Structure formats: structure tokens, C-alpha cells
């Protein structure tokens, strides 16, 4: 840990800052909605003096969110939300160029990750931007005396919202939580098109394999799974979908995909991608079934979707073939199973996460949710909240404007018709 410019931080190498700054500014070009928010925040200072912790993937896009929050007057510090997702040059630039304390190193151990979570709590945040709910869970488990200092939290991902809802049901969530993921301008685009594209990008960067003609198994057909399946089909893969929800399974069938249990698909797949938010969806018996050379990765939030402990037990010592590519030889049949990115989010481990253009809308939601919480300090009920629908629509309108597109509006005649019941056949 070091201190320059009177701030504490823990990054790999502060000298990487110039590269990080160039990349942050490159991403900003694709984030016009967040830029408009930043410019307004700079004038209005809605977050003046608010102590804010963001536990996020430290990427160029997150850096632009941090800039917007800083422009709004927040005193922020950032920590990594995943040990493998940090872009070290971005972390360095946020410290050196924007004076924001960052605690994030790509490849940090779980122990360091947890230490950073506790450092974030030592900052005594009033607002917590979380991605997976680790900071909020640690606060509740270990720092009960600090809970009264918290105005609220905003949560970026599906898994975090599932955890917040469980905390709310257990009666331990005593402050408001904004479900950023559940805004339409977040999950319809970020989870689907962002995860769809960047997951394949991660697989390709890690392996340089051709997707065309391969059988690709997508486990989970939620927003992320739809994106992965859609994009993999576009690249020429034969896609099989695995689901436990009958409605999603029918949807996958109607979308033209083969649907079957993982037990059957485990015999057929060349590439497996998990995006369920659930545990051990690829388990020992599935690894045992796989073809020689099958490639397995995860793009769901936590690294427990693949039972890697089980795979380790069944195999010889894994061999690293390339960065983010480890080969396990299954003792029972000699088949090689290739695991990418240690089972962590492959799009952030081996690629750069979602493109800036899609994070523009996700982080517009984050910035506006923080403002919403601060403006309503003390007036919101504990529990999980959604941003008002008008805010969602406003973000979409700004995005259309940035894309140079206009759409129609209802004519007075149409408004009258939509509000009447007399006219029928
Ligand atoms: N990689 C990224 O950058 C990124 C981005 C957004 C979300 N996420 C994460 O990805 C995960 C999925 O998010 P989502 O928004 O698609 O969630 P979602 O709830 O829309 O979809 C998850 C799907 O998985 C299915 N599922 C659950 N258990 C299953 C099992 N055992 N077998 C097969 N299917 C199963 C569910 O029925 C559901 O349809 C979450 O952990 C989320 O936090 C990752």
C-alpha cells in the first residue's frame, strides 16, 4: 500500500496511469449519456460531501462513472468487485489523474479482495455502489455499528439483487437499496448485448478458437444467456440451451435453439458457458461426461457456477497453456477439460467487459440512483427499490438522441383513443 498526493491506494503500478488515462478518455467518447449527467452534476453538486464507496469492476467505463460522481461532489473510493476484472492501468490513472483512492489489482488473492472490502468499510461510506453485494453483506455481518451511517446502496447485478432480496426477507436490510440491474435500460442492454458480445470476446481472446461449426452450450437463458446464445449463433455455433424454468425453456425453443438437460448436453458440447447466478450448474458428473478438449467457462457473477473443486479432485494437477487457459486431465477417462479464467467472469477476466456504449446506460442508472438516494435521505423505506419508470425512459431518450435518432410521439387523436373505451369493432 502506498501514499501519493496524500491519498492511500493499492494498485499494481502507478506508472501505468498514462495508458489508463488514454483508454478512459477513449471509452468516454462512447458514453454520451453519462457525460451529460457529469456536466449537470458539476453545476448542481447534488452529492456534495457524500462519502461513497464503489465496489465495481475497475474498467475504463467505471472510471467514467467515478468521474461523474466526483463532479457531483462525492468523496469516493473504489475497490474491485472481482479479483480478476481490474484493468491495472485504469486503477493507476484514477489515482494519479483524478486523485481517487483505488484498491484493486488484477489477479489479487481472495484474501486481498476481502481486505479491500474491509478497507472500503473503514472509509465509513454513506452510499455503497455494490456489484454482487459483498460490501453490503460484510457491513451487515461485521460492522453493524456502521449501518446507521448508510443512506443507501445501489446494486449493479442480478446476483447482488437476489442477495439483497434475501437480506430484506431476513429483516437485516435496514436501509434502501436501488436495484439498478432491474432498470430496463440496464438489463435489457447490458446483460443481453453487453454480456453476449463480451463473453464471446473473452473466449476468443483466451483461446483464439473458431466458433463456427462448434456446439456451444449456454447454461441459463436469462438476460445474459439470451445474449450469449444469440451472438454465438451469429458466429456460426450450434447452440444448445439448458434451463430449469419451463417458460424460459419454451422461449429458447421458439427462438430456434435445442433445449435439453445438462446431463445430455455435457456429452455433446465443444464449449460450455454458464450464466445462471446459481451454484455448481456444471458438476462432477458433467465434467466426467465431456468430450476430450471441451472448453468450459463462466460469465455469471460468482466463480461457483462450475464445480472446480470437484474437477480438481477428479483430475491430475492442471496445466496452464496460455493466460486464462488451464487444462485438467480427468483421471477416469484421460479426457482433457479446458477451463477459462479460473471459472470467473470470462468477459472481464480475459477481455475488457462490456463495451462503453452499453455501460453508458447502466452507469447513467447508477449515477441517477445515487442522486435519488441522496435527495431522499431518510425518506425511503428500507428494502429494494426501482428507479421511477420516467427515469428509465429519460435514459433511453438521451441514448437515442446521442445516436442521432428520433422517434414518433402519439398524436392527440391517438392519445384520446388510447384513453377511451367506446370505440370498438
Ligand atoms: N458477465 C457479466 O458481465 C455479467 C453481466 C450481467 C449479469 N451477470 C451475472 O450473470 C448471471 C445471470 O444474470 P441474468 O441477468 O441473465 O439473470 P436471469 O435471472 O435473467 O437469468 C438466469 C437464468 O438462469 C436459470 N438457471 C438458474 N439455475 C439454473 C440451472 N441449474 N440450470 C440452468 N439454468 C438455470 C434461471 O432459470 C434464469 O433463467 C448473474 O450472476 C448476474 O449477476 C454477469
Amino acid at each position: 500500500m502506498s501514499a501519493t498526493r496524500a491519498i492511500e491506494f493499492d494498485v499494481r503500478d502507478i506508472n501505468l496511469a498514462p495508458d489508463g488515462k488514454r483508454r478512459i478518455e477513449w471509452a468516454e467518447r462512447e458514453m454520451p449519456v453519462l457525460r451529460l449527467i457529469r456536466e449537470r452534476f458539476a453545476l448542481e453538486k447534488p452529492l456534495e460531501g457524500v462519502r461513497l464507496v464503489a465496489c465495481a469492476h475497475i474498467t475504463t467505463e467505471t472510471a467514467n462513472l467515478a468521474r461523474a460522481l466526483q463532479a457531483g461532489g462525492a468523496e469516493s473510493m473504489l475497490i474491485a468487485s472481482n479479483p480478476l476484472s481490474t484493468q491495472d492501468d485504469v486503477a493507476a490513472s484514477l489515482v494519479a489523474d483524478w486523485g481517487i483512492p483505488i484498491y484493486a489489482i488484477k489477479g489479487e488473492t481472495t484474501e486481498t479482495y476481502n481486505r479491500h472490502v474491509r478497507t472500503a468499510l473503514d472509509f465509513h461510506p454513506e452510499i455503497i455502489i455494490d456489484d454482487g453485494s459483498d460490501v453490503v453483506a460484510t457491513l451487515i455481518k461485521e460492522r453493524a455499528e456502521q449501518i446507521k451511517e448508510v443512506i443507501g446502496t445501489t446494486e449493479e447485478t442480478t446476483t447482488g439483487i437476489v442477495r439483497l432480496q434475501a437480506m430484506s426477507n431476513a429483516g437485516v436490510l435496514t436501509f434502501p437499496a436501488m436495484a439498478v440491474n432491474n432498470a430496463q435500460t440496464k438489463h435489457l442492454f447490458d446483460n443481453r448485448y453487453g454480456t453476449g458480445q463480451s463473453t464471446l470476446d473473452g473466449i476468443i481472446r483466451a483461446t483464439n478458437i473458431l466458433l463456427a461449426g462448434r456446439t456451444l452450450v449456454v447454461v441459463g437463458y436469462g438476460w445474459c444467456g439470451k445474449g450469449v446464445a444469440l451472438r454465438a449463433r451469429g458466429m456460426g455455433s450450434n447452440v444448445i440451451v439448458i434451463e430449469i424454468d419451463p417458460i424460459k425453456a419454451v422461449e429458447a425453443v421458439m427462438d430456434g435453439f435445442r433445449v435439453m438437460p445438462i446431463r445430455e448436453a455435457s456429452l455433446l458440447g465443444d464449449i460450455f458457458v454458464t450464466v445462471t447466478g446459481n451454484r455448481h450448474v456444471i458438476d462432477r458428473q458433467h465434467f466426467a461426461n465431456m468430450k476430450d478438449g471441451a472448453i468450459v467457462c463462466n460469465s455469471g457473477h460468482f466463480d461457483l457456477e462450475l464445480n472446480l473443486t470437484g474437477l480438481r479432485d477428479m483430475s491430475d494437477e492442471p496445466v496452464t497453456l496460455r493466460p486464462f487457459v488451464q487444462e485438467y486431465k480427468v483421471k477416469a477417462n484421460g479426457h482433457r477439460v479446458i477451463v477459462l479464467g479460473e471459472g470467473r467472469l470470462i468477459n472481464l477476466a480475459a477481455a475488457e467487459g462490456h463495451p462503453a456504449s452499453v455501460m453508458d446506460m447502466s452507469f447513467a442508472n447508477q449515477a441517477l440512483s445515487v442522486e435519488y438516494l441522496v435527495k431522499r435521505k431518510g425518506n425511503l423505506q428500507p428494502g429494494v427499490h426501482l428507479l421511477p419508470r420516467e427515469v428509465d425512459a429519460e435514459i433511453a431518450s438521451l441514448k437515442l438522441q446521442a445516436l442521432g435518432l428520433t422517434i414518433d410521439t402519439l398524436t392527440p387523436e391517438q392519445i384520446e383513443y388510447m384513453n377511451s373505451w367506446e370505440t370498438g369493432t
Side-chain angles (χ1 to χ4, degrees), residues 60-129:
T60 53
E61 295 78 23
T62 301
N64 281 300
L65 172 62
R67 290 173 65 189
L69 299 168
Q70 186 180 50
E75 285 174 32
S76 316
M77 71 103 71
L78 270 65
I79 62 169
S81 61
N82 184 294
L84 272 189
S85 64
T86 298
Q87 297 171 3
D88 289 318
D89 56 347
V90 170
S93 173
L94 281 170
V95 174
D97 299 308
W98 281 279
I100 299 175
I102 305 294
Y103 292 79
I105 299 172
K106 188 171 179 99
E108 67 194 23
T109 60
T110 307
E111 193 190 8
T112 303
Y113 173 84
N114 289 328
R115 191 179 71 239
H116 288 164
V117 170
R118 295 192 177 96
T119 306
L121 291 174
D122 293 342
F123 189 71
H124 288 265
E126 295 168 282
I127 293 285
I128 299 168
I129 296 182

Side-chain angles (χ1 to χ4, degrees), residues 156-268:
E156 175 72 6
T157 200
T158 316
T159 286
I161 288 164
V162 170
R163 290 180 88 187
L164 284 169
Q165 200 54 62
M167 291 176 207
S168 184
N169 295 345
V172 296
L173 184 67
T174 53
F175 47 80
M178 301 301 296
V180 168
N181 179 75
N182 294 0
Q184 300 206 48
T185 46
K186 200 284 186 180
H187 66 266
L188 289 180
F189 305 97
D190 167 319
N191 300 31
R192 184 164 39 168
Y193 302 114
T195 312
Q197 177 171 315
S198 61
T199 297
L200 298 189
D201 185 18
I203 296 171
I204 293 167
R205 287 200 209 190
T207 60
N208 196 27
I209 55 160
L210 185 72
L211 293 180
R214 302 287 172 99
T215 298
L216 188 144
V217 179
V218 181
V219 189
Y221 199 65
W223 292 108
C224 294
K226 286 187 203 6
V228 174
L230 189 69
R231 292 300 180 244
R233 176 163 63 191
M235 300 282 280
S237 294
N238 298 307
V239 177
I240 296 175
V241 168
I242 314 299
E243 254 298 341
I244 43 113
D245 177 335
I247 297 173
K248 302 272 180 59
V250 174
E251 192 181 3
V253 172
M254 300 273 173
D255 286 343
F257 298 111
R258 278 188 288 168
V259 174
M260 62 183 75
I262 182 64
R263 184 174 31 80
E264 286 172 32
S266 60
L267 295 158
L268 304 176

Side-chain angles (χ1 to χ4, degrees), residues 334-361:
H335 286 186
R336 292 160 301 175
V337 173
I338 317 290
V339 176
L340 306 185
E342 300 168 28
R344 296 195 186 277
L345 297 156
I346 190 60
N347 60 333
L348 283 139
E352 293 172 65
H354 300 351
S357 152
V358 89
M359 292 315 291
D360 190 27
M361 287 190 287

Side-chain angles (χ1 to χ4, degrees), residues 29 47 49 57 94 134 214 251 257 280 385 404 416:
R29 295 181 190 200
L47 313 179
H57 301 297
L94 281 170
D134 276 348
R214 302 287 172 99
E251 192 181 3
F257 298 111
H280 293 178
H385 297 255
E416 193 194 330

